[in-house]
Amino acid sequence: MAVPVTPHDVEKVSNEEDMTRTESGMPLEASGTDFDTTGPRNSLDTTTYTSSARTSSATIVDPSSTETSSPSTPSVKSLQKLEALEEPAPMPAKHGSRLTRYLSHNFFSGYRKLFGVIFTANLVAFIALIARTRGTPLATDVANAASANLMVAILFRQENFVNLVYEICTCAPHSLPLVLRRKLAKVFHYGGCHSGCGVAAAVWYLLYTAIATKEFVEHRSSVAAAGLATSWILTTMFFLILGAAHPRFRVKFHDHFEAMHRFAGWTALCTFWIHTFLSAESSRGPGESLGLYLVKSSNFWTLGVSTCCTIVSWSRLRKREVFPEVLSDHATRLHFRYKYMKPFYGIKLSCNPLLEWHAFATIPDSDGKGYSVVVSNAGDWTRKHILEPPKKLWIRGYPLHGLLYTSKLFKRIVVVATGSGIGPCLSLMFADITPRRILWSTPNPETTYGEGVMNAVLKADPKAIIWNTRSQGRPDVLALAYKLYKESDAEAVFCISNPKVTRKVVYGMESRGIAAYGAIFDS
């Protein structure tokens, strides 16, 4: 789903953690959206504790068990339920006041900071253009600014470019101070650059259209009239895209948002080319060829890059054979055999490539011959493919890095997953690069996801906490994650869950000075 978005709306989601919404939009299908809420809540108070231990039945690995499926992988049978789970140490107080926490961890999120930097840079450019002309900027300069912003917006949705940005930010050595590595790990907020440039392009082009309209009134011609018509079409397409990208519209009418983005975007790109040729025809000097004028125009080259990015992505559209593995009536695992996939990549799947796309994290096959994705019941599309496993699916673009790729920046981490959020984490576990502790909360883990997934989790962390919400109620994920953080002396916490739990864990950790990262629900 290659889509620009507007800045994220903010709403209250938790009085207990005075936390506000920082990101919005649709979650990935494999992001733990099936977090169970039916059982009684087994809550560990996150602010005050008594010295007595509570009784619960958290499912964890018994390290002393002799039943293992391999020398390094405990069997599912080696799990036992401990009636007395040791109480986590009291969590430290949150830093700062309620207002400063809101500003630091919600309002000024990484996404918004990048958006602000982009928009400020454009504002400076606008002031410079006004100062240079001592009044209304030149139409060509404004058009070039619009085209440049459009190019950057599209680049931040082009898979190879995004992967390059990830590679640059994650190549930092562990010897680098933690405070710098924590900043670099925010690279997954790159959507702020995409939306910032997208909004700036629309504003620049609205200004250009206003200037072009004024010039047309003063100097009428047939070519100028055609150019002005294309300008207004372009402006309309830009603002249709921005309107459809509003978080509330996007969540409620996600398929319409995708269609609007795709078809309005293609219409805008084609119209931009037509306008570029019409503008060149009316602006070139006597005796100057149209081709020579175009190649000397920066607008021509930035528009060319934008077009190439779009073509490259769609030129990789392929229909691939699928080998379904039914895990339960709630989840299935789709295997692909056409190529091997390295860890830390995600793909986009569709059964109707012009209308909708769904992003999934990939899991490399241990035999090195393919990869798979875990599909959990999180909506109409996923439910359909669980009940009626597909034989073939469309795949578009190059595999894309995601949040968990930034785990390489840290020496030790804690991974928190709920429900099918364990799917993206399996790729991290397969890579086995960063030492990690794992907390997985889900209804009936073995029944729902199978022994293969369970054993993969236990191989990655023989002492993993696997919490069955059907029999044990809902855990206090934040308190358990903090317990693992302290025990393992980790440097960061990664949370792959539904929006509510992700925001709670990330805010709960960051407000106490702990590096925490969670999926952004904007793409």
Side-chain angles (χ1 to χ4, degrees):
M1 294 179 280
V3 291
V5 296
T6 57
H8 299 79
D9 61 323
V10 180
E11 68 181 25
K12 203 72 172 174
V13 295
S14 172
N15 291 329
E16 176 187 4
E17 288 296 327
D18 63 16
M19 175 187 64
T20 56
R21 185 173 189 168
T22 57
E23 311 294 350
S24 58
M26 293 296 289
L28 298 182
E29 276 65 27
S31 62
T33 54
D34 53 354
F35 184 73
D36 182 49
T37 59
T38 59
R41 180 172 176 83
N42 184 351
S43 175
L44 297 177
D45 186 358
T46 60
T47 55
T48 60
Y49 290 89
T50 62
S51 58
S52 60
R54 302 171 190 253
T55 59
S56 70
S57 53
T59 306
I60 65 174
V61 172
D62 176 13
S64 63
S65 173
T66 57
E67 295 183 66
T68 57
S69 58
S70 70
S72 59
T73 309
S75 166
V76 173
K77 295 180 181 180
S78 69
L79 293 173
Q80 68 171 0
K81 292 181 180 180
L82 300 184
E83 291 302 324
L85 176 65
E86 183 181 352
E87 182 91 6
M91 296 185 69
K94 289 176 279 192
H95 298 174
S97 67
R98 194 183 187 92
L99 176 61
T100 57
R101 289 195 296 270
Y102 166 73
L103 292 175
S104 178
H105 306 299
N106 292 286
F107 190 80
F108 292 112
S109 64
Y111 184 102
R112 284 200 177 103
K113 286 177 181 177
L114 289 174
F115 185 97
V117 168
I118 295 295
F119 217 79
T120 300
N122 278 277
L123 181 60
V124 171
F126 174 67
I127 294 173
L129 290 179
I130 291 178
R132 190 175 72 174
T133 58
R134 299 182 182 277
T136 304
L138 297 176
T140 52
D141 290 337
V142 176
N144 288 339
S147 182
N149 275 279
L150 178 64
M151 178 189 70
V152 177
I154 293 177
L155 276 173
F156 274 99
R157 280 294 183 258
Q158 207 285 323
E159 298 89 358
N160 298 94
F161 181 82
V162 172
N163 286 343
L164 175 62
V165 173
Y166 267 100
E167 294 293 349
I168 292 172
C169 290
T170 58
C171 69
H174 288 167
S175 58
L176 202 68
L178 179 59
V179 64
L180 296 180
R181 287 184 280 130
R182 289 177 62 165
K183 297 293 184 183
L184 289 172
K186 296 281 188 178
V187 61
F188 64 96
H189 286 280
Y190 66 86
C193 296
H194 172 70
S195 60
C197 288
V199 173
V203 174
W204 276 113
Y205 209 81
L206 178 61
L207 175 61
Y208 169 79
T209 303
I211 296 173
T213 302
K214 177 177 177 291
E215 292 179 351
F216 173 74
V217 171
E218 297 173 351
H219 307 286
R220 297 174 183 269
S221 70
S222 57
V223 175
L228 185 61
T230 56
S231 292
W232 280 109
I233 293 173
L234 258 173
T235 301
T236 303
M237 293 301 106
F238 277 140
F239 281 91
L240 281 175
I241 291 173
L242 293 184
H246 188 278
R248 295 194 183 279
F249 180 90
R250 181 175 177 174
V251 171
K252 192 172 182 179
F253 306 103
H254 188 71
D255 290 344
H256 296 83
F257 152 74
E258 277 202 59
M260 179 74 72
H261 238 81
R262 184 162 297 116
F263 294 115
W266 290 347
T267 301
L269 205 56
C270 293
T271 306
F272 215 147
W273 274 114
I274 295 172
H275 178 78
T276 298
F277 279 95
L278 290 173
S279 179
E281 178 63 29
S282 62
S283 301
R284 64 191 177 101
E288 186 178 19
S289 68
L290 179 63
L292 181 61
Y293 182 87
L294 285 172
V295 297
K296 292 193 299 182
S297 168
S298 61
N299 184 62
F300 173 81
W301 295 105
T302 53
L303 190 55
V305 172
S306 301
T307 305
C308 288
C309 288
T310 303
I311 292 174
V312 167
S313 180
W314 282 91
S315 68
R316 291 166 170 162
L317 181 66
R318 301 288 187 275
K319 198 168 189 178
R320 301 295 187 182
E321 190 172 6
V322 182
F323 302 91
E325 175 190 353
V326 178
L327 303 177
S328 65
D329 59 358
H330 187 80
T332 189
R333 193 167 180 174
L334 304 180
H335 293 266
F336 298 86
R337 293 290 185 179
Y338 68 94
K339 67 173 291 184
Y340 174 70
M341 189 76 70
K342 294 180 180 180
F344 300 114
Y345 281 104
I347 58 169
K348 300 167 188 172
L349 302 178
S350 178
C351 51
N352 192 337
L354 290 179
L355 295 181
E356 61 176 345
W357 286 93
H358 302 265
F360 293 88
T362 61
I363 308 163
D365 285 351
S366 56
D367 60 8
K369 296 181 179 179
Y371 66 92
S372 63
V373 300
V374 174
V375 179
S376 181
N377 189 351
D380 294 340
W381 193 90
T382 51
R383 187 182 305 112
K384 174 186 175 183
H385 287 80
I386 291 171
L387 298 177
E388 303 172 15
K391 299 298 181 183
K392 289 187 177 182
L393 283 173
W394 290 97
I395 297 177
R396 175 174 66 88
Y398 193 82
L400 185 68
H401 283 317
L403 165 67
L404 291 176
Y405 193 60
T406 62
S407 63
K408 297 167 53 179
L409 286 165
F410 303 101
K411 298 175 183 178
R412 292 170 301 279
I413 62 171
V414 172
V415 177
V416 178
T418 63
S420 58
I422 199 64
C425 302
L426 293 175
S427 183
L428 177 146
M429 299 173 197
F430 182 90
D432 198 23
I433 294 175
T434 307
R436 87 297 296 165
R437 291 301 312 278
I438 299 170
L439 165 60
W440 181 26
S441 172
T442 186
N444 301 323
E446 186 177 1
T447 303
T448 304
Y449 297 99
E451 189 171 333
V453 173
M454 290 283 285
N455 282 334
V457 174
L458 298 176
K459 181 178 180 180
D461 180 8
K463 295 182 180 180
I465 296 180
I466 303 176
W467 191 290
N468 186 341
T469 58
R470 281 286 187 264
S471 60
Q472 300 165 237
R474 293 168 57 199
D476 189 321
V477 178
L478 179 59
L480 291 174
Y482 181 75
K483 175 179 182 289
L484 293 181
Y485 170 82
K486 294 298 291 184
E487 287 180 351
S488 61
D489 192 26
E491 290 186 329
V493 176
F494 286 81
C495 183
I496 309 295
S497 180
N498 57 55
K500 182 177 179 180
V501 174
T502 299
R503 291 191 296 267
K504 181 180 178 68
V505 171
V506 172
Y507 176 85
M509 292 294 175
E510 286 190 333
S511 62
R512 294 171 171 89
I514 300 169
Y517 307 93
I520 301 177
F521 303 92
D522 73 339
S523 59

